[in-house]
Amino acid sequence: MTPPGADFYQLSGWTVILLLVLFYGGTLLMSALIGKKKENADGYMTAGNKIGFGVSAASMTATWIWASSMYASATAGYTYGISGPIHYGLWGALMILFIYPFGRRIRKVAPKAHTLAEVMYARHGRSSQLMLAGSNIVGSLISLTSNFIAGGALIALLSPFSFSQGIIVIAAGVLLYTLWSGFRASVLTDFAQVVAMLGAVVVIIPAVFFAAGGPDMFQQGAQNLTPQQSNFFSSDAFLNQGAPYIAAVLAYAIGNQTIAQRLFAVREDLIKRTFITATVGYGATIIGIGMLGVMALYLGLAPAGGDVNNLIPQMASTFLHPILIGVFLIMIIGALSSTADSDLAALSSIMMADVYGQNVAGKKKANPKTMLLVGRITMIVATAAALYFASGQMNILDLLVFVGALWGALVFPVIASFYWEKVTNKAFTVSVLVALAVFIPVRFEWLPMGGALGIITDVVAVIGIGVVLGLMSFGFFGLKAAKIIGAVGALAAAPFAIGFLHDYAVLSGSLVAYAVSTLVCYFMCFRNGNSFDFDLIKQRIGDFDQRVETETVEAAAVQAGK
């Protein structure tokens, strides 16, 4: 067994350059081959709403499996022991599964939508649209930043290049192949990336395991674990990692434009198969990668530079043959690139459809050529912004849990807006703002949580437990079952949670966001006598390019008649 602190292997600079050129050169070539001389705005955003099963399933899997999720799973394993990756990978996988019944409803209501925020504009109005669009801009920038951080840390450890040089190369490579064809480039390159990535995982995890000592590692390194880390049913792991991630990933699933974009792109009859396949692929891969963190814990390895973001590349460079280190490098680069290009495509769609298409030019006056220009400029600006933020090298796991909890304030209002005809624009906006106003001081512990305030926070958080369970049940089993499961879950949790749950700021903050947004939205709407006609959404949302082509044909006909 290699002792803690052992030196680890680095690839030569020329080898890393060659691998990066081959990877990004290949993806750029794929992007060029599927590119169109005359690109259109709708294809740039959703690829015509008719992507097949193989490509869509691979794209959903690749988008959900990002380098940051790999790093965060390893961090969970290193921090909480063997149950850490299970909590991270299992709940993340199940959340993909829970999306698809909501996804079928969203596609039925808005078959030609480009963004969820665009649907909120058709359903409610501008404030709800901009609120959802704004949260996605923040979320995608954080996601993009965390992927650049992962790539920079990887290159800094496995090569002579610095962290700053690494993030610049990764950013440039992703931007180059995504810029011209947008979402179509993202979704088609995802297929090749996920095949390479999953193939590498199958080889790399067993190779590291046996090189690190095999089964003997767990016997010899057991003394490096605390009682909680060695307990598969660790309460510490569940309360600090599992439970917050259940809430965070549900919010990611509903509010994230990268997921919504694939939902709008895949053929409607393939939604179920796509999401089930992605569930299995994500869970197996992320739990497997997370075991690198568990192995590091048993080995007693200290993260290089004290940064847990370095755990995965450190384990690979310590225990793998140089050829496999090159394979590992491609695996992580593929994972981070597949999500980074999705973030760029999501950001460009938001700026094209929600900012320019709806609020600057207006739906009837939006010029598709101008929309394409807006989309490409957005990608360039977003890449530059993410590079700036990535230079801070923030903790990836903290970033993911924070933005997921932040989106928790949106989950109920968004879902309810697709099913309940009484939800209003005012209720949507107020419920989200109030939930955020409560979430932030709880999450960052700005107020002393002792005494009555702590008990009140726990009671609201328990309601949040019921909301999360109810929402997870609603898509599959309907409203009646969701009410029963949510109520029973909250009542069952109350005796154990009230009195101490406020000590776990991440978890309680997320649950409070769910509860407050649900309560405020419900009580502002249940007496509403007006009912929304969901058929109006189909009438208000359509293809931008088709509208222009129709107008051009009509104008030509009029001119010919004269």
Side-chain angles (χ1 to χ4, degrees):
M1 185 170 68
T2 303
D7 293 333
F8 49 88
Y9 183 87
Q10 285 190 329
L11 299 170
S12 70
W14 285 111
T15 300
V16 173
I17 290 173
L18 177 61
L19 290 172
L20 291 173
V21 168
L22 287 174
F23 178 82
Y24 285 119
T27 51
L28 182 59
L29 178 61
M30 288 182 64
S31 179
L33 290 175
I34 58 97
K36 295 182 178 180
K37 291 182 179 180
K38 189 176 180 181
E39 186 63 82
N40 66 73
D42 296 302
Y44 198 85
M45 290 186 282
T46 57
N49 309 105
K50 53 185 178 182
I51 294 178
F53 168 69
V55 172
S56 61
S59 181
M60 181 65 74
T61 305
T63 298
W64 207 255
I65 300 174
W66 40 333
S68 300
S69 62
M70 290 182 172
Y71 280 43
S73 182
T75 299
Y78 187 79
T79 305
Y80 302 113
I82 193 168
S83 62
I86 303 293
H87 281 304
Y88 193 95
L90 177 62
W91 302 124
L94 289 179
M95 287 309 113
I96 303 175
L97 188 65
F98 283 118
I99 303 170
Y100 94 78
F102 297 120
R104 290 192 297 185
R105 171 64 179 175
I106 292 170
R107 277 296 294 274
K108 181 180 179 181
V109 169
K112 290 291 185 178
H114 307 89
T115 70
L116 273 178
E118 184 185 19
V119 184
M120 289 301 104
Y121 181 85
R123 173 67 175 86
H124 293 304
R126 183 161 292 145
S127 64
S128 299
Q129 177 203 27
L130 293 180
M131 190 169 290
L132 190 55
S135 69
N136 267 287
I137 290 172
V138 173
S140 288
L141 276 176
I142 289 178
S143 171
L144 196 60
T145 299
S146 64
N147 275 292
F148 289 169
I149 291 172
L154 176 74
I155 290 176
L157 278 182
L158 298 187
S159 77
F161 300 113
S162 67
F163 174 82
S164 298
Q165 290 170 324
I167 61 175
I168 291 172
V169 170
I170 298 297
V174 173
L175 181 62
L176 280 175
Y177 77 81
T178 312
L179 186 63
W180 184 252
S181 297
F183 177 75
R184 288 192 302 108
S186 170
V187 75
L188 290 176
T189 55
D190 280 348
F191 184 84
Q193 290 166 349
V194 79
V195 170
M197 183 168 53
L198 296 179
V201 168
V202 171
V203 174
I204 286 170
I205 303 303
V208 172
F209 175 73
F210 288 109
D216 292 340
M217 167 180 51
F218 296 113
Q219 295 179 350
Q220 298 176 23
Q223 71 274 9
N224 294 322
L225 278 67
T226 66
Q228 281 289 326
Q229 289 172 330
S230 59
N231 182 4
F232 184 80
F233 300 100
S234 166
S235 60
D236 189 37
F238 179 75
L239 291 170
N240 284 296
Q241 171 65 46
Y245 199 59
I246 294 172
V249 177
L250 178 60
Y252 260 105
I254 299 303
N256 193 330
Q257 172 59 18
T258 62
I259 304 302
Q261 202 162 13
R262 279 149 184 79
L263 171 65
F264 292 131
V266 66
R267 266 176 39 199
E268 195 168 350
D269 60 311
L270 298 175
I271 290 175
K272 181 177 180 179
R273 281 198 287 166
T274 295
F275 280 81
I276 290 176
T277 303
T279 297
V280 176
Y282 174 89
T285 304
I286 293 303
I287 292 173
I289 287 289
M291 291 303 161
L292 291 176
V294 176
M295 285 186 262
L297 178 64
Y298 273 91
L299 292 169
L301 287 177
D307 186 357
V308 290
N309 294 336
N310 292 331
L311 277 173
I312 287 183
Q314 184 180 356
M315 287 291 291
S317 61
T318 302
F319 296 108
L320 289 178
H321 185 276
I323 294 177
L324 287 181
I325 292 177
V327 174
F328 170 81
L329 177 68
I330 294 299
M331 178 188 75
I332 301 295
I333 295 297
L336 69 89
S337 298
S338 66
T339 305
D341 62 32
S342 301
D343 289 320
L344 290 178
L347 286 165
S348 66
S349 295
I350 291 170
M351 296 303 293
M352 291 167 70
D354 296 309
V355 177
Y356 171 77
Q358 295 282 10
N359 290 286
V360 176
K363 179 75 175 179
K364 294 182 179 181
K365 296 181 179 180
N367 186 330
K369 292 182 179 179
T370 305
M371 293 182 75
L372 284 171
L373 179 62
V374 168
R376 287 167 178 151
I377 291 174
T378 298
M379 287 191 180
I380 295 170
V381 173
T383 300
L387 279 173
Y388 173 77
F389 295 130
S391 62
Q393 292 182 260
M394 295 169 283
N395 183 284
I396 291 173
L397 185 57
D398 289 344
L399 284 177
L400 297 180
V401 173
F402 171 72
V403 73
L406 193 64
W407 271 333
L410 286 157
V411 175
F412 180 84
V414 169
I415 292 178
S417 295
F418 285 101
Y419 291 90
W420 194 21
E421 66 277 0
K422 292 187 176 184
V423 179
T424 64
N425 185 47
K426 184 178 181 180
F428 186 106
T429 305
V430 172
S431 63
V432 172
L433 291 177
V434 173
L436 290 178
V438 177
F439 160 74
I440 291 173
V442 173
R443 169 62 182 85
F444 294 104
E445 302 178 85
W446 288 354
L447 300 173
M449 284 295 170
L453 183 58
I455 297 298
I456 292 171
T457 301
D458 290 346
V459 170
V460 177
V462 166
I463 296 173
I465 293 173
V467 170
V468 171
L469 294 175
L471 290 174
M472 291 166 64
S473 308
F474 171 65
F476 288 99
F477 309 116
L479 182 60
K480 183 177 180 180
K483 288 180 178 179
I484 294 172
I485 292 171
V488 170
L491 291 173
F496 305 98
I498 296 175
F500 88 98
L501 193 57
H502 58 268
D503 292 331
Y504 298 87
V506 175
L507 174 57
S508 59
S510 182
L511 292 174
V512 163
Y514 274 95
V516 171
S517 64
T518 300
L519 292 173
V520 173
C521 187
Y522 174 77
F523 284 111
M524 289 184 68
C525 295
F526 81 103
R527 290 185 178 275
N528 179 21
N530 298 320
S531 296
F532 179 79
D533 182 1
F534 286 102
D535 288 336
L536 291 174
I537 295 178
K538 294 179 182 179
Q539 300 173 22
R540 295 171 180 174
I541 294 178
D543 291 337
F544 287 93
D545 291 280
Q546 185 177 6
R547 173 187 57 77
V548 172
E549 291 171 4
T550 302
E551 291 175 355
T552 302
V553 171
E554 291 175 349
V558 171
Q559 187 67 29
K562 292 181 179 179

